[in-house]
Amino acid sequence: MRIVSKNAQQPGFLPGAALIVAFALILCQPLKVSGAEPPLRVVTTTATLGVFAASVGGDQVDVRVLAPPDRDPHYLEARPSFMAALRRADLLIEMGADLEEGWLPVVQRGAGNPKILTGNSGHLRAADPLHLRPSITMEGPNLGHVHAEGNPHFHIHPGLMRRVLFDVAQRLSELRPTHEQQFRHQARTLARDLDTHVEALITQVTPGTLMLTYHEDLDYLAEWLPVKDVGHLEPLPGIPPTARHLQRLVAELSDQPSGVVLHAIYQPGQGAEFIKERLGWRTASVRMEPPVDGDFDDYLELLSELASAVSH
Amino acid sequence: MLLHKRPLMASAIGALMVPLLAMPVKADHLDVDISVIFDAVYFNELSHGNDAPAGFSGGHDHGHSHDHGHGHGHDHGFDDGFNLGHSELAVEATLGSALVGSLMLGITEDEIEVEELYVQTLSLPSGLQLKAGKFLSDVGYINSQHSHDWDFVERPLVNEFLFGDHGIQETGVQATWLAPSETYTLFGVELLQGKTSGIANHIGAQSPEHGQARILEDVSGPRLITGFVKFAPDLGADNAAQIGASVGYSRSYQVTDGHSTRNEDWNGTATFAGLDGVFKHDAGGSYGHGDWRLQAEYFYRVQDVDRRDVNFAEDSRGPVGHVRNVQSFKNEQDGLYVQGVYGIAPRWEAGLRGEALGLTNDLGRGDGASEDTSYRYSAQLTFRPIEPVFIRAQLSQEDFASDHGREKGVNFMLQLNVALGAHGAHRF
């Protein structure tokens, strides 16, 4: 503001050039909030990571989520607006394990911001320290996605995401050491809330419930709920369900007790309906992410929805 | 590097590829991505039209007709029947977070050509990036895309005839700056050697004809400079758009053409400017169902040349070395295309494209002429059974003007494209 008013008092001196310089300065150096440090600019790929960053970081972070919560995070495009978001970011948090492999590397390279490149201090891959469930892409023929590091859809597994809370706190502490206590305290509080919430959910589900899922993106439910994962509607990850594959599933499961077929809201429901007609299984179309700009309760609510989808 | 019908070199590269491909494609200690794009096209000319659009047969128009597959005329490069299309071997590797290197070999039936071989910085501060090597220029929208990213089998006419058979694919350096603004705003400048046939054709000095100097001279590179800006507002979860503007100037544009008794030489400069835009809608359906995208580009080109013909044989006008047709003139030409693609069902896309070439088609040679506009209309249907594979059927009608009137040609194409290996993410 100071620069603009100064130029306004001297209209005779190259006003056009001065205006351009003023605009450039405003563009390059967004006005600093006097006194307090400006919030860290955190960009996350998914809405769950956005909730985690915002919940741990509190008033010290300004969070932008790239992937809309109702879209498959495998299939996003490397949009220029994503690059603009990363251009000024202090920290990029991704799930990793190749979940965002189809678009994020191009966005990182196009952002012109060395901080958020893989391996640098402004980049956090949630999957890296975690022991992931093996992806079925690691066994059979590689036709669709290949997730050599394991199944990347662990955001619905509280046991692993608990660790992510502390990893986010650790990284935020490195970027803003003055608030380390605040970040660690938040992570501990949130982890406790998560533990309490999950204990209650586990008791809701009848042990041994059979579960079919469309893709391997809901497999992690079997890691913490007493359900049994008995297969996928896709013959191979990334390959749409075929009649032959669905019929084989029906044949295999015909002598089993009835279970539930789950698919994400952005996946077609015909395959689940087929199983419902033949075997009388329940079907459920489920949200995969909390809303963008949601809080930690929205994440807990998402877990509740998933648990009730398999239990009712 | 152009390995024209050299089976030895080709098999040497093949022998190198085999162990590379046999390795796990993304080993952690290597961080090298290798992929092969296989492309094949069945081509059928249903009716034969004019071979080249008026005003664009080579550097200048003599009213000659050029056969398919030859010369500088319209060359979609396809024979009637089965064709190995434009296959590619792509290798990409990073040097920590400092540099990314990329090699893209274009493979056709009888040649292997380096299409791109460059390194690009990743670690410069303040949104700056530098690229050096051979690369596809970032002017316009489709110029920097490889053919497997196209929505139609063929390169747009405006890109082929204003620039060249490979668009602007040059050796040089590029600097870009991404502004630190809320809205994506990218500025770029490229200094290029200058070989692209439509804007920077370079022949170099010629030996005199019986003591009579000819006008072409060596112009050292870089001869071609381009600049571009891209602007992409954030339109939320469902929509994305990018608009761009590009300019370019070549300080050498040269043409030579042999007639029965004389060589005709043009020596001058060329300038171009253009606008491009793309809008994409993501409907959130499965496998692209309901998605659509619109894409359009317009380019305008001026060739500003001095002409001077020299006899290499005696004719009625004069002896060997006789100079005539000394003139200076400009060719002003343009072209555009508009295309749209819609996801008609999960994994199915249908698209339409309309193209015009020579809306302005003013040629200054001789007494000057204004040629008619040529058009092409294409419709395509694409099926993606699985992510790395597509099968595309395309019908194109070419309505090309020529000195002896308009003639319509219709072509049918069936394309099979398969991406094997760790293919890098696609750009917007």
Side-chain angles (χ1 to χ4, degrees), chain A residues 27-28 64 68 71 75 77-80 83-84 87-88 101-102 106 109-112 114 117 120 143 214 239-240 266 268, chain B residues 92 97 122-124 126-127 129 178 180-182 184 232 234 236-238 240 242 280 282 284 286-287 347 386 425 428:
Chain A
L27 276 172
C28 295
R64 161 85 193 268
R71 302 292 152 89
Y75 296 114
E77 274 204 284
R79 288 183 177 173
M83 297 178 192
R87 167 71 172 86
R88 297 190 299 162
E101 189 64 15
V106 171
R109 280 179 198 170
L117 292 174
N120 290 356
L143 273 172
Y214 185 93
I239 312 294
Y266 46 75
Chain B
E92 195 174 79
S97 57
L122 297 172
S123 53
L124 293 184
S126 311
Q129 285 190 292
L178 182 62
S181 48
E182 290 287 337
Y184 178 90
D234 184 355
D238 297 341
Q242 177 179 284
K280 301 188 187 188
D282 179 349
S286 47
Y287 308 104
R347 295 177 287 138
I386 53 174
F428 180 76

Side-chain angles (χ1 to χ4, degrees), chain A residues 26-77:
Chain A
I26 288 166
L27 276 172
C28 295
Q29 303 225 311
L31 299 172
K32 288 192 174 175
V33 181
S34 57
E37 278 183 290
L40 289 167
R41 289 198 191 86
V42 181
V43 174
T44 72
T45 55
T46 67
T48 295
L49 290 174
V51 164
F52 276 47
S55 305
V56 173
D59 59 358
Q60 293 302 305
V61 295
D62 183 4
V63 177
R64 161 85 193 268
V65 176
L66 298 182
D70 58 347
R71 302 292 152 89
D72 189 336
H74 282 305
Y75 296 114
L76 293 185
E77 274 204 284

Side-chain angles (χ1 to χ4, degrees), chain B residues 215-228:
Chain B
I215 54 168
L216 300 196
E217 54 200 31
D218 275 329
V219 180
S220 60
R223 294 178 285 265
L224 175 62
I225 181 170
T226 70
F228 55 86

Side-chain angles (χ1 to χ4, degrees), chain B residues 332-413:
Chain B
E332 296 175 51
Q333 296 172 298
D334 64 359
L336 64 83
Y337 72 90
V338 179
Q339 68 184 49
V341 175
Y342 177 66
I344 51 172
R347 295 177 287 138
W348 286 87
E349 284 177 353
L352 293 171
R353 177 162 80 180
E355 301 177 73
L357 189 65
L359 294 159
T360 301
N361 205 352
D362 298 332
L363 307 176
R365 181 175 179 269
D367 298 328
S370 276
E371 299 283 357
D372 285 342
T373 309
S374 292
Y375 300 95
R376 183 167 68 186
Y377 306 99
S378 305
Q380 62 95 335
L381 183 66
T382 303
F383 175 55
R384 292 179 191 272
I386 53 174
E387 210 185 335
V389 176
F390 71 79
I391 300 161
R392 173 173 296 148
Q394 181 178 324
L395 207 54
S396 292
Q397 186 199 51
E398 294 172 344
D399 177 13
F400 287 174
S402 88
D403 292 350
H404 46 272
R406 308 190 75 86
E407 248 185 279
K408 288 178 182 173
V410 178
N411 298 318
F412 172 76
M413 283 154 273

Side-chain angles (χ1 to χ4, degrees), chain B residues 138-141 184-187 228-232 242-244 276:
Chain B
D138 274 309
V139 299
Y141 181 70
Y184 178 90
T185 312
L186 181 78
F187 300 89
F228 55 86
V229 56
K230 297 179 195 297
F231 181 78
Q242 177 179 284
I243 53 174
D276 59 275

Side-chain angles (χ1 to χ4, degrees), chain A residues 10-232:
Chain A
Q10 304 174 345
F13 287 95
L14 300 168
L19 263 179
I20 290 169
V21 169
F23 272 120
L25 286 173
I26 288 166
L27 276 172
C28 295
Q29 303 225 311
L31 299 172
K32 288 192 174 175
V33 181
S34 57
E37 278 183 290
L40 289 167
R41 289 198 191 86
V42 181
V43 174
T44 72
T45 55
T46 67
T48 295
L49 290 174
V51 164
F52 276 47
S55 305
V56 173
D59 59 358
Q60 293 302 305
V61 295
D62 183 4
V63 177
R64 161 85 193 268
V65 176
L66 298 182
D70 58 347
R71 302 292 152 89
D72 189 336
H74 282 305
Y75 296 114
L76 293 185
E77 274 204 284
R79 288 183 177 173
S81 58
F82 294 175
M83 297 178 192
L86 279 184
R87 167 71 172 86
R88 297 190 299 162
D90 298 303
L91 176 62
L92 163 66
I93 309 177
E94 62 164 312
M95 294 296 286
D98 291 349
L99 180 74
E100 302 95 338
E101 189 64 15
W103 53 279
L104 191 61
V106 171
V107 177
Q108 283 174 282
R109 280 179 198 170
N113 179 0
K115 278 191 284 189
I116 53 81
L117 292 174
T118 304
N120 290 356
S121 63
H123 177 246
L124 178 64
R125 257 173 132 248
D128 280 355
L130 304 179
H131 185 70
L132 300 186
R133 188 184 161 101
S135 166
I136 57 174
T137 61
M138 293 154 75
E139 307 158 6
N142 299 328
L143 273 172
H145 317 296
V146 183
H147 297 307
E149 295 171 57
N151 185 327
H153 304 282
F154 57 89
H155 70 287
I156 52 165
H157 183 17
L160 294 178
M161 292 309 283
R162 193 181 193 285
R163 165 77 193 260
V164 175
L165 286 170
F166 292 98
D167 291 340
V168 169
Q170 170 69 30
R171 187 58 64 92
L172 289 176
S173 302
E174 287 162 18
L175 294 175
R176 184 148 294 176
T178 48
H179 290 74
E180 181 172 354
Q181 289 309 316
Q182 177 191 336
F183 300 142
R184 293 199 186 287
H185 174 75
Q186 270 306 103
R188 277 194 300 272
T189 308
L190 295 166
R192 228 172 9 244
D193 292 351
L194 185 59
D195 294 343
T196 315
H197 188 75
V198 165
E199 272 170 44
L201 291 181
I202 290 170
T203 60
Q204 289 179 13
V205 178
T206 315
T209 302
L210 300 188
M211 175 181 81
L212 266 176
T213 60
Y214 185 93
H215 182 67
E216 62 173 354
D217 48 2
L218 289 158
D219 289 9
Y220 279 99
L221 291 179
E223 298 281 323
W224 62 282
L225 289 171
V227 296
K228 198 174 161 204
D229 169 27
V230 292
H232 305 102

Side-chain angles (χ1 to χ4, degrees), chain B residues 236-256:
Chain B
D238 297 341
N239 299 301
Q242 177 179 284
I243 53 174
S246 318
V247 292
Y249 170 74
S250 174
R251 61 196 177 107
S252 176
Y253 173 73
Q254 302 178 332
V255 172
T256 188

